[in-house]
Amino acid sequence: MAVAAAVVGTVALGTGVGVWASSGGGAGQGSGRATVADTGSPANPSPTRSYPMSRAPQTIPAVRSHTPARGPGWQPRKSDRVVIGDASLADEGRLIAGELGMTYAGQKNDTKAGDVRLALAGGGNQESYTMNVHGGRVDITGPGQAGVFYGTRTLKQEVHGGGTAPEGVVRDEPAKPVRGFMLDIARKPYSESWIEDRIRELGDLKFNELGLHFSDDQAFRIESSSHPEIVSADHLTKAQVRRIVDLADSRHITVVPELDSPGHLGAVLAAHPDLQLRNRNGVVTKGAIDISKPGSAKLVDDLLNEYAGLFTGDQWHMGGDEYTALMASDPQTAYPQLAAAARAKFGANGNVADLTTGWLNDRAATVRAHGKTLRAWNDGFYRSATAVQPAGDLQVAYWTGKEIGARQPEEYLSAGRKLINYNDEFLYYVLGQPQTFVYPTGQRIYEQWTPRVVRGTTAVPARYDGQILGGTFAVWGDFPNAQTPDQVAAGIRMPLRATVQKLWDPRTPALSWTQFKALANRLG
């Protein structure tokens, strides 16, 4: 559809591509960015009506709106400056200056041709920003540092993808506050450099969470001073974790640790066999800790307290899934010590599910004391618990509808809980493709998934959209040798881009999958 050349307005975008009228009134495809080569004009001249109307930036994720204007746009030159209006933006300023080959000039009040100026201004969503390309300069403002950083990511993609930032004003903000990537480093170790490469990739795509599942039956992957006996030979030192966290902070990414319990503790229990859960016949239950023993709580709380200071973000994943005792047909009979502990704590009607829920609540209290916001897997919320309910502030990390006694997402949402979408039919990249898992494709996410598609392929009612905080794409290492780290990075490349597009903008993308993939390849 053509847009009259005389009309200049704010246009909402479903993708980073728009079609704008040229000075001759026609509509066309492509970037439409006027450059020195296009016009024969000197660099950064004043806009005139001899320029065609600008076209929207082409970025991943797409910007939410762009007001077109006539002008040459902006290109970086080595002599141009990046300046900041607030000292807190120094990291953002240095980063984008280095990426675009410009000079970082620090905090300045003067204005020069070619400047990129970063400033804090306005209110509202701290991840929102405005970018104004006009008069041979770029101004990026936002109410918070995160928003200004995202503005620099848009500018970086514009320049790398097309050479020129188009004239006009971008106003942009994410639809969802949680845009995550989770990595299972317990089953498959990844190097510090590999994780840092992913952080840089995630930051450029405007993701804001990195989950680290660092403990499971196979290994415990982070150095521990409180319990060094549990740490696997191949692990990250605390110094490495601090560097990872620092790099993530610089990209406005919160690292979300997960120390799963009371299941998935096999590596920890290998050094503490006295705390292993045994059934009534004395047979060890793999990976499960005996929550009837006081030493179990002390061991896990030691670790939670130790790592709370290492991970400086305000988020924590409690796990809570797949406790094997509750998979028995009759947990009370199969595990009499748990049943007895439940009755002692919750009265005659207390059951093993109550005891397990109480365990999760107690561990949540340990972490909550450190000022963290908490989440747990949906199958850690036990329907059969009657004497005690999961803590009200626990957010639901909904990953599957396949567990015993599975509940629909609406049950959690109708109870008022907030939910993060980890839908295992779209967002689970499970190495080796065990059971019914297949490697997710970017195309399927792009064309069929939205944050409201929490379980299976059906969306929850729109009235719950505000309780769905966002989504997380997860890599699990069930068969760790099925792919090399480089193969994992390649395999998740397009799924990550499709996922963040759907988390940033709720509208149906205007680009076809083929166009979106071509854009991703052009942006690098």
Side-chain angles (χ1 to χ4, degrees), residues 357-390:
T357 301
W359 165 277
L360 183 64
N361 288 346
D362 290 345
R363 307 292 74 74
T366 298
V367 178
R368 190 183 298 111
H370 295 280
K372 311 290 187 181
T373 298
L374 310 170
R375 68 187 70 164
W377 298 115
N378 62 287
D379 52 335
F381 294 75
Y382 300 106
R383 173 181 283 168
S384 53
T386 57
V388 61
Q389 294 300 309

Side-chain angles (χ1 to χ4, degrees), residues 384-424:
S384 53
T386 57
V388 61
Q389 294 300 309
D393 62 345
L394 280 176
Q395 297 171 354
V396 181
Y398 199 103
W399 71 282
T400 188
K402 302 181 180 74
E403 80 276 14
I404 297 171
R407 285 181 280 176
Q408 294 288 338
E410 290 93 317
E411 290 196 37
Y412 302 95
L413 295 167
S414 64
R417 288 196 185 272
K418 295 179 180 179
L419 183 150
I420 300 166
N421 187 333
Y422 290 75
N423 188 332
D424 64 345

Side-chain angles (χ1 to χ4, degrees), residues 429 440-442 445 473 490-500 513:
Y429 193 96
T441 66
I445 295 167
F473 186 90
I492 66 177
R493 181 177 176 273
M494 287 309 300
L496 284 176
R497 284 153 177 77
T499 299
V500 80
W513 170 249

Side-chain angles (χ1 to χ4, degrees), residues 102-424:
M102 299 173 65
T103 299
Y104 175 67
Q107 196 168 357
K108 301 288 184 181
N109 294 321
D110 64 321
T111 299
K112 292 184 178 180
D115 277 356
V116 172
R117 176 173 292 275
L118 312 181
L120 298 176
N125 187 337
Q126 295 291 293
E127 294 189 309
S128 67
Y129 69 92
T130 299
M131 182 169 68
N132 188 358
V133 179
H134 177 71
R137 299 190 306 275
V138 180
D139 288 286
I140 299 174
T141 60
Q145 294 174 43
V148 174
F149 172 71
Y150 295 143
T152 68
R153 300 306 87 194
T154 295
L155 181 63
K156 177 184 176 181
Q157 286 195 26
E158 288 176 336
V159 171
H160 286 189
T164 303
E167 202 87 6
V169 180
V170 168
R171 293 178 177 86
D172 202 14
E173 65 179 340
K176 293 298 181 183
V178 174
R179 305 177 302 282
F181 169 63
M182 196 227 74
L183 183 65
D184 173 9
I185 64 173
R187 295 180 178 96
K188 182 178 180 67
Y190 294 85
S191 68
E192 176 189 358
S193 62
W194 192 95
I195 295 171
E196 289 175 341
D197 284 344
R198 299 290 74 69
I199 290 171
R200 295 183 185 96
E201 179 181 15
L202 295 171
D204 283 354
L205 293 170
K206 304 186 177 93
F207 279 88
N208 64 359
E209 283 192 1
L210 168 64
L212 291 180
H213 177 90
F214 64 87
S215 170
D216 214 301
D217 295 342
Q218 293 78 3
F220 190 97
R221 298 287 187 190
I222 295 179
E223 174 188 355
S224 171
S225 56
S226 65
H227 290 280
E229 73 280 1
I230 69 174
V231 180
S232 301
D234 192 348
H235 66 272
L236 295 172
T237 67
K238 286 187 176 180
Q240 288 177 312
V241 173
R242 290 188 187 98
R243 288 195 292 268
I244 288 168
V245 170
D246 286 347
L247 179 63
D249 283 347
S250 75
R251 266 57 174 185
H252 297 276
I253 294 169
T254 299
V255 180
V256 185
E258 183 195 354
L259 175 54
D260 204 348
S261 79
H264 295 281
L265 282 171
V268 171
L269 293 171
H272 292 271
D274 56 310
L275 300 179
Q276 291 177 319
L277 178 65
R278 298 174 182 270
N279 67 15
R280 63 179 177 179
N281 298 318
V283 177
V284 170
T285 302
K286 180 182 177 182
I289 200 166
D290 190 336
I291 60 177
S292 70
K293 294 184 175 182
S296 296
K298 182 181 185 309
L299 172 61
V300 174
D301 282 350
D302 285 347
L303 296 168
L304 293 173
N305 284 318
E306 177 180 359
Y307 292 122
L310 182 63
F311 294 98
T312 56
D314 61 353
Q315 304 291 314
W316 195 283
H317 200 315
M318 304 300 305
D321 63 312
E322 297 180 328
Y323 189 45
T324 314
L326 289 168
M327 298 179 185
S329 58
D330 184 359
Q332 279 59 236
T333 301
Y335 298 93
Q337 78 277 32
L338 299 184
R343 291 191 297 270
K345 188 170 184 178
F346 299 110
N349 294 324
N351 60 37
V352 176
D354 290 318
L355 190 70
T356 309
T357 301
W359 165 277
L360 183 64
N361 288 346
D362 290 345
R363 307 292 74 74
T366 298
V367 178
R368 190 183 298 111
H370 295 280
K372 311 290 187 181
T373 298
L374 310 170
R375 68 187 70 164
W377 298 115
N378 62 287
D379 52 335
F381 294 75
Y382 300 106
R383 173 181 283 168
S384 53
T386 57
V388 61
Q389 294 300 309
D393 62 345
L394 280 176
Q395 297 171 354
V396 181
Y398 199 103
W399 71 282
T400 188
K402 302 181 180 74
E403 80 276 14
I404 297 171
R407 285 181 280 176
Q408 294 288 338
E410 290 93 317
E411 290 196 37
Y412 302 95
L413 295 167
S414 64
R417 288 196 185 272
K418 295 179 180 179
L419 183 150
I420 300 166
N421 187 333
Y422 290 75
N423 188 332
D424 64 345

